[in-house]
């Protein structure tokens, strides 16, 4: 977890060394710390393998800029949903919960896949 | 029988008419020699600055002016008292077994050291003008400073343990000896015995950031350190403000011995310029005084600091709450640092805040400590600061999002400023 930075480093240059190598993003919903690679800024609330940060940190422009511009944490993509589907498939969650999740996931995909290329990737 | 002293002012012709005669040298010498052989010899036992001795000196001076062989006979008698106890000798150069030279024990008013192998006349006798006149007439002379300096050097080279080195130092200083001429061979008393000039020679001192206090005597002894301290008594041999020509006693000592009060910053090592041995020992054995030492002597140290910047950065220094860290990873205890720690709700021990003698420092004190920034020390929170803060928050029980937000908010502002600088 430890890293040393030279005086004068900015978070832009240090991003990959710090927030990606350690779990320093606080998830207040789970009261846990997560890695920046496991976060999205904006995304559907059914995500479990990614922490959606906007609901907790969006009230200040500084914080939004910090996560999205400085740490380059992007929004959920179709790929994010695909990964979530794979994650759920491989998990031991009950079938009822899985069914509800799948409904939300497929609805999300349908409403967000706008291009032929996107549909091709989904197939 | 002799006339009473009261007749000294009488008309001598009248006394002669009454039958008083002058004693001849032929009559005086047997009496003189008998006295010299006597255990209770007046010549050897009377105070050598007494009126009696002055009268004897007058007699001697008249003998040396007499005709025939009287002066020679007089010179052969053991009439010169030497500085060594109970040693008497005849005039110098008077034959087998005698002294070739005998010197007066002072150069002007400066006492010549009596342990450097020079035959010196008795001090009391030499201080009396009449007796000194007799000694001078017998051949006692003033020794040249050059001869004395050479004798001091020879004596110190042969056996320094039994010498009165203080008397040597005083003589050299008081006769305005050029310190650079004696520095190559001069010995000085230290707590580790007589030592020559060197880089690890220091003066005794009570000042907190002088070596004598940085590495006190018991620490020096327990760790068998090779640095030597000139005792305070040597510094007090002469008045502090006494000047001989342009130098004070302290100035002269510094130039003649190379001794100093505080450690040098650097030394020449095998791999280039290194931190001086004694400063490294301060870091190792008395680390709480290391930064204060740098600050106290920064006006001198700053000229060579760039040569050992990396080494200084890697020195381990004490931080608050008993921890130590590399200097380059520490923070000054400024209000910006301590207030931010308080704002984030983390323990001070989570951040490597320097444990300075001043404690928390204000703006004025910061100016005195800001030189440490050259070695990576920060006065304001930086990236590393927030990393450490997040690590502390990571392990904190009962963490709330507000604390995390405060950390991210501060990092965001730092990153914003940093980004702008990058874009310029």
């Amino acid at each position: 977890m430890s890293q040393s930075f030279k005086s004068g480093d900015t978070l832009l240059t240090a991003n990959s060394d710090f927030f990606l190598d350690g779990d320093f993003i606080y998830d207040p919903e789970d009261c846990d710390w997560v890695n920046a690679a496991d976060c999205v800024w904006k995304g559907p609330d059914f995500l479990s393998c990614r922490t959606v940060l906007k609901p907790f940190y969006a009230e200040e422009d500084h914080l939004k800029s910090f996560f999205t511009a400085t740490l380059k944490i992007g929004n959920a993509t179709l790929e994010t949903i695909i990964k979530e589907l794979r994650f759920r498939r491989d998990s031991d969650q009950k079938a009822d919960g899985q069914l509800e999740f799948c409904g939300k996931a497929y609805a999300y995909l349908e409403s967000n896949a706008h291009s032929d290329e996107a549909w091709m990737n989904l197939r | 029988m002799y006339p009473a002293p009261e007749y000294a002012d009488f008309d001598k012709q009248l006394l002669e008419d009454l039958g008083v005669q002058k004693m001849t040298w032929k009559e005086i010498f047997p009496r003189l020699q008998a006295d010299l052989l006597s255990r209770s010899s007046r010549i050897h036992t009377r105070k050598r600055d007494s009126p009696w001795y002055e009268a004897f000196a007058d007699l001697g001076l008249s003998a040396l002016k007499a005709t025939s062989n009287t002066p020679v006979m007089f010179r052969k008698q053991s009439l010169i008292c030497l500085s060594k106890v109970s040693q008497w000798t005849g005039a110098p150069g008077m034959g087998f077994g005698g002294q070739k030279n005998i010197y007066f024990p002072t150069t002007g008013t400066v006492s010549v050291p009596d342990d450097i192998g020079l035959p010196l006349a008795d001090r009391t006798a030499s201080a009396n003008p009449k007796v000194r006149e007799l000694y001078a007439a017998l051949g006692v002379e003033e020794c040249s400073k050059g001869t004395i300096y050479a004798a001091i050097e020879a004596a110190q080279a042969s056996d320094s343990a039994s010498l009165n080195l203080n008397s040597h130092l005083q003589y050299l200083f008081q006769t305005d000896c050029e310190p650079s001429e004696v520095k190559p061979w001069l010995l000085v008393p230290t707590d580790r015995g007589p030592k020559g000039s060197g880089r690890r020679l220091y003066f005794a001192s009570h000042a907190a950031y002088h070596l004598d206090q940085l590495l006190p005597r018991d620490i020096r002894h327990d760790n068998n350190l090779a640095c030597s301290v000139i005792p305070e008594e040597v510094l007090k041999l002469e008045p502090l403000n006494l000047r001989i020509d342009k130098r004070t006693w302290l100035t002269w000592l510094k130039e003649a011995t190379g001794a100093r009060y505080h450690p040098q910053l650097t030394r020449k090592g095998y791999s280039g310029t290194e931190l001086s041995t004694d400063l490294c020992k301060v870091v190792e054995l008395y680390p709480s005084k290391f930064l204060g030492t740098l600050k106290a002597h920064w006006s001198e140290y700053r000229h060579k600091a760039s040569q050992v910047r990396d080494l200084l950065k890697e020195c381990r220094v004490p931080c608050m709450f008993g921890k130590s860290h590399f200097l380059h990873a520490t923070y000054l205890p400024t209000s910006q640092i301590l207030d931010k720690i308080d704002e984030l709700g983390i323990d001070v021990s989570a951040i490597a805040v320097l444990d300075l003698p001043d404690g928390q420092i204000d703006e004025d004190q910061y100016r005195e400590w800001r030189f440490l920034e050259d070695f990576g020390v920060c006065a304001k929170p930086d990236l590393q600061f927030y990393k450490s803060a997040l690590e502390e928050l990571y392990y904190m029980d009962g963490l709330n999002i507000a604390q995390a937000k405060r950390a991210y908010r501060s990092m965001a502002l730092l990153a914003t400023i940093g980004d702008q600088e990058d874009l310029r």
Side-chain angles (χ1 to χ4, degrees):
Chain A
M1 186 183 293
S2 64
Q3 277 288 358
S4 61
F5 297 92
K6 295 177 185 175
S7 175
D9 268 355
T10 66
L11 287 176
L12 274 178
T13 57
N15 181 32
S16 61
D17 292 332
F18 183 48
F19 283 96
L20 293 180
D21 283 352
D23 300 340
F24 289 117
I25 309 290
Y26 185 63
D27 178 355
E29 187 171 30
D30 294 341
C31 294
D32 199 6
W33 295 85
V34 295
N35 194 285
D38 297 327
C39 296
V40 293
W41 175 247
K42 182 180 170 185
D45 57 7
F46 57 75
L47 286 177
S48 64
C49 68
R50 289 289 183 270
T51 300
V52 182
L53 300 179
K54 184 180 175 185
F56 310 113
Y57 296 108
E59 78 269 23
E60 291 180 45
D61 289 341
H62 281 310
L63 293 178
K64 179 187 175 184
S65 173
F66 175 70
F67 288 113
T68 59
T70 304
L71 300 189
K72 295 196 184 317
I73 295 176
N75 297 331
T77 63
L78 297 180
E79 185 62 32
T80 309
I81 308 303
I82 300 298
K83 284 183 179 174
E84 181 72 21
L85 285 166
R86 290 199 182 108
F87 174 73
R88 296 286 188 126
R89 179 194 66 191
D90 296 335
S91 74
D92 57 0
Q93 199 174 18
K94 286 183 180 176
D96 291 345
Q98 296 279 43
L99 199 61
E100 183 184 356
F101 155 70
C102 289
K104 291 181 179 178
Y106 297 144
Y108 184 89
L109 286 173
E110 187 177 35
S111 61
N112 288 279
H114 301 299
S115 67
D116 292 338
E117 185 182 353
W119 281 111
M120 284 294 295
N121 288 338
L122 280 174
R123 289 196 192 97
Chain B
M1 288 176 67
Y2 309 101
E6 288 79 358
Y7 287 98
D9 295 329
F10 248 55
D11 183 355
K12 289 189 174 45
Q13 184 61 53
L14 178 61
L15 290 173
E16 284 183 12
D17 291 345
L18 292 173
V20 178
Q21 298 173 343
K22 271 191 182 176
M23 187 179 281
T24 65
W25 288 111
K26 198 173 176 181
E27 293 168 315
I28 291 174
F29 270 113
R31 288 170 169 77
L32 180 68
Q33 287 165 336
D35 178 87
L36 289 174
L37 290 173
S38 166
R39 276 189 187 178
S40 57
S41 162
R42 290 183 183 183
I43 295 170
H44 288 174
T45 60
R46 287 280 178 131
K47 282 190 176 179
R48 286 175 284 286
D49 58 349
S50 62
W52 185 93
Y53 226 96
E54 290 180 352
F56 174 75
D58 275 333
L59 179 68
L61 286 167
S62 67
L64 293 172
K65 292 174 188 169
T67 55
S68 71
N69 64 343
T70 300
V72 173
M73 288 182 62
F74 195 79
R75 286 179 197 280
K76 286 183 179 178
Q77 309 305 312
S78 297
L79 300 174
I80 298 175
C81 180
L82 296 179
S83 59
K84 289 188 174 21
V85 177
S86 302
Q87 281 202 7
W88 292 81
T89 186
M94 285 307 297
F96 186 79
Q99 296 283 355
K100 187 178 172 188
N101 301 94
I102 303 174
Y103 302 106
F104 284 114
T106 58
T107 300
T109 58
V110 182
S111 294
V112 176
D114 59 9
D115 58 354
I116 56 175
L118 293 177
L120 301 176
D122 174 70
R123 291 186 190 279
T124 304
S126 301
N128 182 285
K130 182 58 71 173
V131 180
R132 185 185 179 94
E133 187 182 354
L134 171 63
Y135 280 15
L138 286 170
V140 179
E141 56 187 330
E142 280 224 8
C143 189
S144 71
K145 286 193 288 186
T147 300
I148 297 173
Y149 296 164
I152 292 174
E153 180 181 358
Q156 291 194 357
S158 64
D159 175 24
S160 60
S162 59
L163 296 175
N164 181 353
L165 297 179
N166 287 349
S167 69
H168 301 183
L169 293 173
Q170 285 183 285
Y171 181 82
L172 293 170
F173 169 64
Q174 290 175 13
T175 56
D176 196 23
C177 173
E178 182 60 39
S180 60
E181 292 180 6
V182 299
K183 189 175 180 182
W185 54 261
L186 182 66
L187 296 179
V188 63
T190 77
D191 59 340
R192 296 175 66 240
K195 294 292 176 191
S197 65
R199 295 171 63 84
R200 300 184 71 187
L201 194 58
Y202 301 91
F203 293 114
S205 174
H206 298 289
Y209 297 111
H210 287 171
L211 181 112
D212 198 20
Q213 298 303 315
L214 289 173
L215 297 172
R217 189 188 179 109
D218 53 344
I219 288 183
R220 297 197 298 269
H221 180 265
D222 292 347
N223 292 275
N224 200 27
L225 300 184
C227 49
S228 304
V229 173
I230 298 172
E232 201 171 355
E233 64 177 40
V234 175
L235 295 166
K236 290 181 176 178
L237 286 175
E238 300 287 347
L240 283 176
N241 57 355
L242 172 65
R243 282 186 185 270
I244 304 292
D245 194 11
K246 55 185 180 299
R247 294 185 180 93
T248 64
W249 172 230
L250 181 60
T251 306
W252 188 91
L253 273 179
K254 283 181 177 178
E255 291 184 37
T257 65
R260 43 191 291 131
Y261 278 106
H262 57 271
Q264 298 200 4
L265 178 66
T266 64
R267 69 178 181 96
K268 286 276 185 251
Y270 291 113
S271 53
T273 305
E274 301 175 0
L275 285 177
S276 73
T277 304
D278 292 324
L279 200 59
C280 287
K281 286 299 178 184
V282 174
V283 175
E284 176 191 342
L285 300 173
Y286 219 144
S288 62
K289 286 204 164 187
F290 174 58
L291 294 180
T293 302
L294 290 184
K295 175 171 168 267
H297 309 301
W298 189 245
S299 59
E300 173 194 318
Y301 287 167
R302 64 189 178 92
H303 297 294
K304 290 192 175 182
S306 61
Q307 300 176 25
V308 289
R309 177 175 286 119
D310 289 343
L311 293 172
L312 284 169
K313 289 167 77 172
E314 295 299 315
C315 287
R316 290 197 76 89
V317 292
C319 294
M320 290 184 172
F321 294 93
K323 296 184 179 180
S324 69
H325 293 271
F326 294 118
L327 183 62
H328 67 79
T330 62
Y331 298 87
L332 287 170
T334 59
S335 57
Q336 292 106 312
I337 292 292
L338 295 175
D339 289 350
K340 183 60 69 177
I341 290 173
D342 189 53
E343 177 190 328
L344 295 177
I346 59 175
D347 203 272
V348 176
S349 61
I351 305 294
V353 181
L354 288 173
D355 186 10
L356 297 181
D358 298 334
Q360 179 173 348
I361 58 177
D362 58 26
E363 196 59 38
D364 289 334
Q365 290 165 319
Y366 164 66
R367 276 189 276 274
E368 295 174 1
W369 288 103
R370 65 183 302 172
F371 72 93
L372 290 176
E373 292 177 343
D374 283 347
F375 312 106
V377 179
C378 290
K380 299 177 183 177
D382 62 354
L383 197 59
Q384 180 63 41
F385 177 95
Y386 291 110
K387 171 191 169 289
S388 301
L390 282 176
E391 288 179 344
E392 176 73 1
L393 292 174
Y394 181 93
Y395 289 108
M396 188 179 285
D397 291 331
L399 176 71
N400 59 58
I401 189 171
Q403 284 178 278
K405 282 184 178 179
R406 280 196 283 271
Y408 296 138
R409 190 180 300 119
S410 298
M411 296 175 86
L413 291 171
L414 187 67
T416 302
I417 294 168
D419 293 351
Q420 289 173 352
E421 287 176 353
D422 264 359
L423 291 170
R424 283 197 194 101

